[in-house]
């Protein structure tokens, strides 16, 4: 079996396993990274989102084979960054977290969005989050949190 | 005046944001097995034969024959089997579990099991009544006789799926002859009590622990008892850890949903007022009754929503069909009825040719009025101010005129509503008898021993604030772990908007006592039990008296634009005012409001679920469409202080209230935009096209 | 046993495909969903996979005076932001899926998936896209409508891969794109439409009307378009019901979990009528 090599949160990983496996399963089962959640398993909800080379991707429909040679960041790595701290403060201050199952994915979406657009408008934030379903919050507090993070974290993105 | 409403950082937010919080699917136990459910593919059939392939070593099949106790899931109405025996009643009904270490093998076995069915006649229409309720207020018959005019209309609602982002699931272990279940649940003691019946065992043999819940909305009220019982049976037989997590499609296909309904309202009109209503609501329970009777109660009690009508003849039926069983969903029967009532008041005003707003104001309930069930609205009602404020916030009256132009495809709709807080009638006092315990350790830490579940609504933060505020301690001195039935008394399920008001009230009482009796360095335990406010008198047979100890109130205004070509609806803005007594944390209450309104509005125009001969057509998150951030409009919400004497710091319920007004507000806005009446929700473009076509004819 | 392959070069990929034993996976956003199994288990594929998404030789966007050339492994999000992407295609991609999907999905995947509701196909049909198929034997270039045979069916051979998508440069005086989905973002199309036209001095010089999700494949009827080209817009407007009449026979939608026949049909025709009315 061919091996798959990639970087995970800065560290090199080599795995000898079926490359058709869902990257989400590899993360959660082989690598004990349970920050990405499974909400739908069909790319619809974004709970399983991770960053591949800095872009948001849904790991539940990402075959491991496509991760070969790429740079992966999950919430486990991202939470060690300064940008994360700004986002966390903003999510808490705006009351953006309810049940929380969507939130690690929302943080990944927030990062991917701010990385490409450091001062997004409300509408741009809504589009940036359009692949991340939240059933609890109605999104408005999450949108406010991202605006707050964009302001307070000026220069970080 | 307490400043308790000032928001604090939610107690569990950081753990959730960072991905550290473990939900049930994140828990792994060494040597655990995986379970998968074998389900009926028929809507109604006799099981002739089941052929199970030879099981490899270490693999098991669990079915009704393994149940030591009763093959029924204990809930309100006990007709729901844990496993099917010789008949199946809906597609997806569980027949057995296949359990084993390797998912691949488990799946192969599930696929290899052959079941022979003898199809029986299925019922899909609301024809077979299994519960009928009726009540009167005043003398409706006389009022109809004296009426100047009688107007009748019918209203339909569809399914709504809770669509929590975390599917249902449990993990369980068997140790020292005890069954230990950890699950995504709203009601630890519902699960425990159900498992005791099924296992015919002693209460101490069962331990139920709530895992962090990734959304519930009623969907994890009674349904988890079914999974819990199945898993308990498997654990007892296999005696190894087992995990049972639903797939999204499985969850959508087989878990309870909001009951579809049909309501007919007939109004007697005299001197420009509605003097009597004769209303019948039918709800579709699906294959098992479960909680449907209680859902029906709440629906019929909501028959006048925020209005007072002196004469009522109200009835309802639960109809059984061979479809997926329906159950609890935020609002619990009220959304269906309140939608119908709001539409009806509008339609009547239009037919009478009078100003809708003035017409509705004439009927608005006031303090001192008799409720639908002839109880009393004892507390002040702030609706006139709340309505005025909502009108001002939304510029309602100007827009209403501007959008009357038939060439303008914009609309603005306003709903007024109330929600009875807590269980209906004497449920709280007679069935639940909630208890809470505060346990003060020698170190001075105070543990809240309650069965209330934080499923995102902020129960932990709110209840800890109540305890801290009353004890005069900082929040850090209060501990509130996820409930574990080994450690917490039964403070009731986390449902019916009762947690802040009832459980919070008990915590406040216990905390006040603890404060009085506080002894530094001593381990102290204080328990309080619910007692009903003395004024409450309720007769369940006649549906008369005070159905609820208190009511929360709300106003929603929704503005839409409808695309002329495609009839797609865009929600532009949502404004709301609420009276939840006293907010225990503004961010939390407004978060409830935002989320509840999103669900309520989407129920009115967006979320479609239908079945064809018992098979649901929308089977995953792609087909069952819930709002994205792009669909959800900006919200503006204001809270009105109206402290309730028996709630902690004056708090009433907030969780469900915020959902019930969304559908009528959006439906009324759509009605204004297209210039034709809406009688059915969700008001999809397909439905609007039909409405416009029929109008042309 | 033949096993899955993660080639490092395009040449290696073509070599592996030679015997027709492998199935190409691009972003996998269709394949992984379609073949999904119980969570935790790998999806069930009928053939070993060839992971092509990271092949550097297939990730490019080039232009010359005649056309735009898109390497087949270019992701949709890159196309959305690329300055050379034709604006109609950009508009369509902007309403496809969500950012998380667009970063890992491709035009080639959308083409081979050949769903009646595929969105990018609207633009590819409108812009007369040419599809470059390649195998070790060589290349062939097909117009998009020759590429697609029916739902999920294309002329792709077992040893072939889509190498490139080309679109001749085009310019229109009028364009319109509408995607009607179950919600305003991240939705599967219930009915979709693109109209583009060149109107010069009141005369229609070019007219293209394309519909999706209303028939087994996309609907573009060049013979009907031709009937109107060269005519004065006034005449066409006077006779607008004839156009809709012509399309009525090609638009044969179904009832399904997302919408119904009547809505799809009438909305499709209404979108076309509406577009033609804007040509004045
Ligand atoms: C949540 C979600 C939302 C979506 N929303 C939309 C939407 O709005 N509109 C829409 O049209 N689609 C949508 N899709 C479908 C899908 O994303 C698109 O069809 C996408 O373009 C597929 O690209 P891919 O690279 O992921 O294809 P893959 O899944 O990798 O491949 C699909 C098919 O194409 C074949 N294939 C791929 N590349 C090549 C090649 N170069 N040569 C030969 N064969 C090839 C594969 O063998 C396979 O048969 C959505 C999917 C998901 C999961
Ligand atoms: S679990 Fe991956 S998108 Fe929902
Ligand atoms: S916070 Fe519960 S789904 Fe988003």
């Amino acid at each position: 079996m061919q091996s798959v090599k990639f970087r995970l949160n800065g560290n090199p990983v080599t795995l000898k396993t079926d490359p058709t496996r869902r990257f989400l399963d590899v993360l959660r089962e082989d690598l004990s990274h349970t920050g990405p959640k499974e909400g739908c398993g069909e790319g619809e909800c974004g709970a399983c989102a991770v960053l591949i080379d800095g872009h948001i991707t849904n790991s539940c429909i990402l075959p491991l084979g496509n991760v070969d040679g790429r740079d992966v960041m999950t919430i486990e790595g991202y939470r060690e960054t300064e940008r994360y701290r700004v986002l966390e403060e903003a999510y808490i201050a705006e009351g953006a977290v309810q049940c929380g199952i969507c939130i690690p994915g929302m943080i990944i979406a927030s990062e991917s969005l701010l990385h490409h657009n450091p001062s997004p408008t409300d509408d741009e934030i809504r589009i940036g989050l359009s692949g991340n379903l939240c059933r609890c919050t109605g999104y408005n507090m999450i949108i406010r949190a991202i605006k707050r993070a964009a302001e307070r974290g000026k220069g970080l993105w | 005046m307490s400043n308790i409403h000032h928001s604090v950082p939610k107690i569990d937010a950081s753990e959730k944001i960072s991905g550290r919080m473990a939900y049930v699917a994140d828990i792994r136990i060494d040597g655990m097995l995986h379970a998968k459910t074998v389900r009926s593919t028929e809507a109604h059939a006799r099981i002739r034969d089941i052929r199970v392939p030879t099981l490899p070593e270490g693999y098991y099949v669990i079915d009704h024959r393994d149940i030591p106790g009763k093959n029924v899931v204990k809930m309100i109405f006990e007709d729901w089997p844990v496993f099917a025996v010789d008949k199946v009643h809906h597609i997806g009904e569980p027949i057995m579990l296949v359990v084993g270490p390797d998912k691949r093998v488990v799946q192969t076995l599930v696929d290899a099991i052959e079941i022979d069915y003898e199809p029986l006649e299925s019922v899909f229409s609301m024809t077979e009544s299994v519960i009928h309720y009726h009540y009167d207020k005043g003398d409706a018959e006389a009022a109809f006789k004296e009426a100047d005019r009688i107007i009748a209309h019918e209203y339909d609602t569809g399914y709504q799926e809770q669509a929590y982002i975390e599917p249902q699931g449990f993990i369980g272990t068997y140790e020292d002859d005890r069954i230990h279940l950890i699950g995504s649940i709203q009601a630890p003691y519902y699960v425990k009590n159900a498992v005791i019946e099924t296992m015919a065992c002693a209460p101490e043999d069962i331990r139920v622990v709530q895992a962090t819940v990734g959304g519930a909305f009623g969907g994890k009220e009674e349904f988890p008892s079914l999974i819990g019982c199945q898993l308990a049976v498997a654990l007892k037989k296999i005696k190894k850890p087992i995990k049972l997590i639903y797939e999204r499609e499985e969850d959508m296909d087989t878990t309870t949903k909001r009951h579809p309904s049909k309501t007919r309202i007939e109004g007697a009109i005299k001197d420009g007022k509605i003097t009597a209503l004769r209303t019948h609501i039918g709800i579709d329970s699906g294959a098992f009754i479960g909680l449907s009777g209680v859902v029906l109660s709440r629906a019929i009690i909501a028959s006048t929503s925020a209005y007072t009508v002196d004469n009522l003849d109200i009835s309802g039926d639960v109809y059984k069909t061979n479809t997926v069983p329906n159950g609890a969903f935020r609002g619990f029967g009220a959304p269906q009825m309140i939608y119908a009532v709001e539409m009806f008041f509008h339609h009547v005003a239009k037919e009478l040719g009078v100003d809708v707003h003035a017409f509705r104001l004439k009927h608005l309930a006031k303090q001192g009025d008799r409720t639908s069930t002839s109880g009393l609205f004892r507390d002040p009602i702030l609706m006139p101010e709340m309505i005025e404020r909502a009108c001002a916030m939304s510029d309602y009256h100007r827009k209403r005129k501007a959008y009357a132009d038939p060439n303008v495809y914009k609309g603005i709709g306003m709903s007024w509503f109330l929600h009875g807080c807590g269980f209906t009638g004497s449920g709280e006092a007679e069935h639940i008898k909630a208890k809470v315990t505060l346990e003060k350790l020698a170190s001075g830490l105070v543990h809240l021993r309650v069965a209330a579940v934080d499923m995102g609504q902020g129960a932990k933060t709110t209840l800890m604030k109540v305890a801290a505020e009353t004890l005069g301690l900082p929040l850090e001195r209060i501990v509130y772990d996820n409930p574990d039935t080994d450690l917490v008394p039964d403070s009731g399920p986390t449902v019916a908007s009762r947690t802040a008001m009832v459980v919070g009230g008990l915590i406040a009482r216990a905390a006040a006592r603890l404060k009085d009796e506080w002894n530094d360095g001593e381990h102290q335990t204080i328990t309080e039990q619910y007692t009903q406010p003395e004024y409450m008198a309720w007769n369940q047979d006649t549906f008369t008296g005070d159905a609820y100890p208190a009511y929360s109130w709300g106003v929603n205004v929704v503005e839409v634009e409808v695309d002329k070509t495609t009839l797609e609806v865009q929600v532009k803005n949502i404004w709301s005012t609420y009276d939840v007594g006293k907010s225990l944390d503004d961010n939390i209450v407004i978060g409830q409001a935002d989320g509840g309104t999103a669900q309520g509005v989407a129920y009115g125009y967006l979320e479609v679920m239908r079945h064809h001969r018992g098979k649901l057509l929308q089977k995953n998150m792609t087909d069952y469409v819930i709002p994205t951030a792009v669909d959800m409009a900006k919200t503006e919400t204001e809270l009105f202080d109206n402290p309730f004497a028996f709630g902690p710091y004056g708090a009433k319920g907030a969780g469900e209230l915020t959902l019930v007004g969304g559908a009528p507000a959006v439906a009324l806005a759509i009605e204004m935009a297209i210039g034709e009446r809406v009688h059915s929700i969700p008001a999809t473009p397909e439905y609007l096209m039909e409405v416009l076509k029929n109008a042309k004819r | 046993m033949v096993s899955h392959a993660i080639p490092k070069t395009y040449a290696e990929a073509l070599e592996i495909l030679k015997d027709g034993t492998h199935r190409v996976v691009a972003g996998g956003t269709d394949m992984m969903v379609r073949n999904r199994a119980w969570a935790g288990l790998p999806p069930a594929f009928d053939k070993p996979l060839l992971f092509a998404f990271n092949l550097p030789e297939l990730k490019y966007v080039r232009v010359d005076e005649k056309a735009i050339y898109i390497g087949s492994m270019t992701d949709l999000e890159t196309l959305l932001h690329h300055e050379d992407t034709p604006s109609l295609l950009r508009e369509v991609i902007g309403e496809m899926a969500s950012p998380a999907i667009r970063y890992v999905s491709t035009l080639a995947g959308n083409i081979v998936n050949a769903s009646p509701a595929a969105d990018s196909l609207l633009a590819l049909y409108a812009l007369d896209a040419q599809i470059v198929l390649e195998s070790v034997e060589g290349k062939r270039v097909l117009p998009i409508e020759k590429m697609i045979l029916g739902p999920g069916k294309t002329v792709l051979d077992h040893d072939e891969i889509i190498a490139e998508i080309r679109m001749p440069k085009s310019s229109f005086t009028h364009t319109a794109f509408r995607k009607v989905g179950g919600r305003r973002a991240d939705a599967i199309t219930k009915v979709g439409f693109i109209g583009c036209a060149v109107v010069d001095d009141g005369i229609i010089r070019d007219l293209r009307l394309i519909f999706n999700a209303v028939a087994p494949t996309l609907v573009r009827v060049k013979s009907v378009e031709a009937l109107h080209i060269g005519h004065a817009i006034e005449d066409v407007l006077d006779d607008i019901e004839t156009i809709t009449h012509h399309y009525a026979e090609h638009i044969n939608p179904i009832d399904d979990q997302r919408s119904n026949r009547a809505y799809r049909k009438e909305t499709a025709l209404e979108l076309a009528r509406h577009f033609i009315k804007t040509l004045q």
Side-chain angles (χ1 to χ4, degrees), chain B residues 3-215:
Chain B
N3 279 333
I4 196 162
H5 65 97
H6 286 260
S7 301
V8 301
K10 261 194 182 172
I11 222 71
D12 47 3
S14 173
E15 228 177 319
K16 286 176 172 174
I17 300 169
S18 63
R20 286 190 178 88
M21 182 67 89
Y23 296 78
V24 63
D26 302 336
I27 303 172
R28 288 182 73 170
I29 298 175
D30 281 343
M32 72 185 180
L33 310 180
H34 299 279
K36 183 131 190 133
T37 314
V38 177
R39 300 177 178 282
S40 164
T41 53
E42 297 291 312
H44 192 202
R46 195 176 306 285
I47 298 177
R48 266 204 225 113
D49 185 29
I50 301 182
R51 284 181 302 279
V52 179
T54 318
L55 298 172
E57 170 86 24
Y59 289 81
Y60 307 84
V61 163
I62 309 291
D63 66 15
H64 68 94
R65 289 166 303 185
D66 298 304
I67 298 172
K70 276 210 233 164
N71 182 13
V72 64
V73 184
K74 182 185 155 90
M75 49 180 93
I76 304 280
F77 198 97
E78 304 198 349
D79 66 339
W80 199 332
V82 177
F83 291 111
V85 181
D86 49 2
K87 251 187 181 181
V88 288
H89 310 80
H90 69 95
I91 293 174
E93 183 174 345
I95 298 169
M96 52 176 72
L97 296 183
V98 177
V99 186
D102 185 343
K103 278 190 169 182
R104 222 171 304 234
V105 179
V106 172
Q107 182 68 59
T108 315
L109 290 170
V110 168
D111 295 341
I113 289 172
E114 288 175 45
I115 303 175
D116 277 353
Y117 296 100
E118 175 191 331
L120 301 170
E121 206 175 315
S122 303
V123 179
F124 300 117
S125 58
M126 290 204 228
T127 45
E128 291 191 3
S129 171
V130 282
I131 295 179
H132 176 80
Y133 290 144
H134 170 256
Y135 70 88
D136 291 307
K137 174 189 178 187
D139 187 346
E141 205 181 320
F144 272 97
K145 269 200 197 117
E146 289 161 17
D148 302 334
R149 200 172 156 185
I150 293 170
I151 296 176
H153 285 294
E154 286 184 22
Y155 303 97
D156 292 351
T157 66
Y159 280 113
Q160 188 178 22
E161 158 64 38
Q162 292 86 354
Y164 32 69
I165 303 299
E166 177 208 36
Q168 307 247 3
F170 273 93
I171 186 164
T173 60
Y174 191 83
E175 277 161 53
D176 309 324
D177 294 331
R178 293 188 79 209
I179 290 166
H180 178 184
L181 297 170
I182 306 172
S184 181
I185 58 180
Q186 274 175 258
Y189 273 93
Y190 276 8
V191 177
K192 174 163 172 149
N193 294 335
V195 172
I196 292 169
E197 291 272 303
T198 298
M199 300 311 294
C201 64
E204 24 330 335
D205 296 340
I206 310 296
R207 175 177 178 197
V208 177
V209 177
Q210 173 235 320
T212 301
V213 174

Side-chain angles (χ1 to χ4, degrees), chain A residues 43-52 55-59 61-62 105 108-109 112 127-132, chain C residues 27 29 53 75-77 96-105 186:
Chain A
E44 197 69 35
C45 76
C48 63
V50 299
L51 296 166
I52 305 279
H55 309 307
I56 184 171
T57 302
N58 291 330
S59 64
I61 55 168
L62 178 66
I108 296 295
S112 185
I127 292 168
L129 299 183
S130 60
N132 292 74
Chain C
T29 61
F53 190 59
D75 65 83
L76 296 180
E77 190 72 16
M96 281 176 76
S98 62
I101 301 292
R102 291 196 296 261
Y103 278 119
V104 289
S105 56
D186 201 2

Side-chain angles (χ1 to χ4, degrees), chain B residues 617-632:
Chain B
L617 300 176
Q618 288 75 16
K619 59 185 190 314
N620 51 39
M621 297 293 269
T622 309
D623 293 344
Y624 186 72
V625 164
I626 65 170
T628 66
V630 178
D631 298 279
M632 181 59 183

